[in-house]
Amino acid sequence: MAPSRIDLDHDLAHAEKLRELALHDVMEHLESDYSGASTPGLYTGEGKDDAPRSPVRKPHKKNGSPKVNGVEHETDESRLVDEKQEDADGEHLTSVKPTAGFEVALRQGKKESLTSQKTEREELVSGRKAGAGWQRSGIRFAPLNVPLQRRLQTLLVLGHTLCIALFLMTFFFLCAVPIFWPILAPYLLYVLFSRAGTSGELSHRSERFRSSSIWSLFAGYFPARLHRSQTLPATRKYIFGYHPHGIISHGAFSAFATEALGFRQLFPGITNTLLTLDSNFRIPLYRDYALAMGLGSVSRESCENLLSKGGPNNEGMGRAITIVVGGARESLDARPRTLRLVLQRRKGFVKLAIRTGADLVPVLSFGENDLYDQLQPELHPLVHKLQLLFKKLMGFTIPLFHARGIFNYDVGMMPYRRPLNIVVGRPIKVMQQARPDEGYVDEIHELYTKELERLWDVWKDVFAKERTEELKIVY
């Protein structure tokens, strides 16, 4: 680092004082030489031609310290040296030159000056650095140069996640405009008495809407993939049991409510219907969106109608329904890198399969539980009990979850971008019985559970490499 202007001024002043001291010493020596020559008895000498010669000077010893401007200075040999030369006539020339010690003293003075300034700087106390808190922030924000495709994927997933709230907001806005009242009044009566969600006719289903390219953006957000263990003949009817429920079952919607993952290519000739809560078909505007996607009610009436209508001879052959077996109770156990299924006591779907003669097809979704984080029941037992009570009274519950945001990767209600791999297992053939025998129900349930465990054992090292525990079947 180059010395500052203050450092240079300080060095020049120091050198000037040393120069004055050197000149003062020289004058002292010269005055002593001339005054000593006239002192009787101090010097004697004779020339060859009787001419007076310069007296021979005795060694001069100086005591005390000279004063310059009233300040005493030391004059040791480390600073100055008297160099004497004698010519042929005996004349003495005296000169003063700085020694190596003089140079060292000069450098030492400069060093002391710099050290003094450095010490003063070390005593400075600084305040907090502006912006330091943002550098240590745990929130990672998305860059501005994100590709358009990823922006559209985020928009589609956001819209689907908030679709119920968005449709309700739109409906209430329309209610606030009197001009729409003549239309909204009969529409509300139609919503209250409509049986479109339970009739099993699928009259509102739109294959064009289900096959739209926007759903490819939706499925590509995670991304999601649908895998088939073996083909399913279209001459049978099926009940797909989807596991796990997760928080919002994004994998079930991608695979069985849209054609984004190629369900018709993997299972040609089969018309599948994803089932949801019957109460969803009482929500204005949203129920029309759900019916257009081909969704149906999960009620017993709806399931039996879907599996007994349609097909070549209108007996339901080639029809299929998808039930998220674990339900809302299983959503409370949805944690990343784990798989806990509520299945042990769930036998209603097995009885439905026996009554309708539909084969059971286990479906295991690897990654469904990884899409959100939520409060752990072990750390918040009171909250968990309240959620169970709400489930008992209302039929559904609200998991306290979080994931990422629209413009960041750490805080928000958007699901994480983590892969979903939905594996469809082998069908379990069922003999139709009008009144299912309990022993036969347990037998089919055990076969179904074993096929689900087989799917886990075969594909866990491929699709669940970061798991922290093995498959657990509870309740």
Side-chain angles (χ1 to χ4, degrees), residues 13 144 175 304 323 361 367 402 410 414 432 469:
L144 297 178
C175 289
E304 292 180 349
I323 302 176
V361 183
H402 67 90
D410 301 288
M414 291 281 294
Q432 186 173 4
E469 64 180 36

Side-chain angles (χ1 to χ4, degrees), residues 40-55:
L42 185 59
Y43 295 103
T44 59
E46 292 183 358
K48 293 183 179 181
D49 53 358
D50 297 330
R53 302 292 183 183
S54 299

Side-chain angles (χ1 to χ4, degrees), residues 1 17 45 51 61 200 263 273 298 312 418 439 471-472:
M1 181 183 295
K17 288 184 179 182
K61 181 177 181 182
F263 181 87
T273 302
V298 76
R418 293 172 180 171
L471 169 65
K472 292 183 179 180

Side-chain angles (χ1 to χ4, degrees), residues 343 444-454 473:
L343 181 62
I444 297 298
H445 186 273
E446 184 179 357
L447 292 175
Y448 181 90
T449 304
K450 288 183 178 179
E451 175 62 15
L452 206 57
E453 292 174 341
R454 186 193 70 82
I473 297 178

Side-chain angles (χ1 to χ4, degrees), residues 82-372:
D82 294 340
E83 185 176 8
K84 298 179 175 59
Q85 300 290 338
E86 185 176 353
D87 59 6
D89 296 333
E91 294 288 341
H92 291 272
L93 295 177
T94 305
S95 62
V96 180
K97 72 173 184 178
T99 62
F102 180 85
E103 304 254 346
V104 172
L106 184 61
R107 289 195 299 268
Q108 185 66 26
K110 181 178 178 181
K111 183 177 180 182
E112 289 177 357
S113 174
L114 294 176
T115 304
S116 176
Q117 294 182 13
K118 183 178 179 181
T119 304
E120 293 178 358
R121 292 172 186 170
E122 289 178 349
E123 293 177 354
L124 294 177
V125 179
S126 303
R128 67 182 301 273
K129 182 180 180 182
W134 288 96
Q135 295 176 358
R136 297 191 300 268
S137 175
I139 301 177
R140 299 168 297 164
F141 289 92
L144 297 178
N145 58 343
V146 174
L148 178 62
Q149 181 180 2
R150 291 178 67 88
R151 292 296 190 194
L152 295 176
Q153 290 172 349
T154 302
L155 179 63
L156 262 295
V157 174
L158 176 65
H160 174 70
T161 304
L162 302 177
C163 60
I164 294 180
L166 293 175
F167 281 119
L168 283 175
M169 289 174 58
T170 304
F171 175 75
F172 288 130
F173 174 78
L174 295 176
C175 289
V177 182
I179 195 175
F180 292 110
W181 290 357
I183 301 174
L184 294 177
Y187 174 75
L188 284 177
L189 293 176
Y190 169 73
V191 170
L192 291 176
F193 296 101
S194 173
R195 297 183 64 254
T198 59
S199 64
E201 296 177 357
L202 302 179
S203 58
H204 295 73
R205 183 186 180 110
S206 173
E207 293 297 337
R208 182 177 181 180
F209 186 38
R210 287 168 52 91
S211 304
S212 175
S213 59
I214 63 174
W215 303 120
S216 295
L217 290 172
F218 176 88
Y221 172 90
F222 304 100
R225 294 291 302 275
L226 181 63
H227 309 274
R228 180 190 67 190
S229 296
Q230 67 178 55
T231 58
L232 300 178
T235 56
R236 301 281 296 176
K237 57 183 76 170
Y238 303 95
I239 296 178
F240 291 88
Y242 185 86
H243 307 271
H245 182 282
I247 300 297
I248 305 183
S249 300
H250 288 296
F253 182 83
S254 301
F256 303 111
T258 74
E259 291 298 330
L261 305 185
F263 181 87
R264 284 189 299 184
Q265 285 72 30
L266 293 175
F267 307 102
I270 297 177
T271 302
N272 185 41
T273 302
L274 178 63
L275 304 183
T276 183
L277 294 176
D278 185 69
S279 59
N280 289 334
F281 296 94
R282 298 293 178 262
I283 302 176
L285 301 183
Y286 174 75
R287 45 114 37 210
D288 301 288
Y289 165 73
L291 290 173
M293 296 299 300
L295 272 65
S297 172
V298 76
S299 65
R300 176 176 174 176
E301 178 188 4
S302 174
C303 294
E304 292 180 349
N305 288 335
L306 286 168
L307 294 174
S308 60
K309 297 180 181 181
N313 29 356
N314 201 29
E315 294 182 353
M317 296 302 175
R319 283 283 188 96
I321 61 175
T322 300
I323 302 176
V324 184
V325 178
R329 173 64 186 84
E330 194 173 75
S331 66
L332 299 179
D333 293 324
R335 283 182 257 174
R337 294 177 293 279
T338 65
L339 186 58
R340 298 183 181 183
L341 305 182
V342 178
L343 181 62
Q344 190 172 352
R345 300 177 185 176
R346 300 292 174 104
K347 299 181 181 180
F349 72 103
V350 178
K351 295 178 182 179
L352 175 65
I354 296 175
R355 285 196 302 268
T356 58
D359 295 343
L360 287 173
V361 183
V363 179
L364 195 58
S365 177
F366 293 88
E368 185 71 56
N369 285 346
D370 298 337
L371 301 182
Y372 295 93

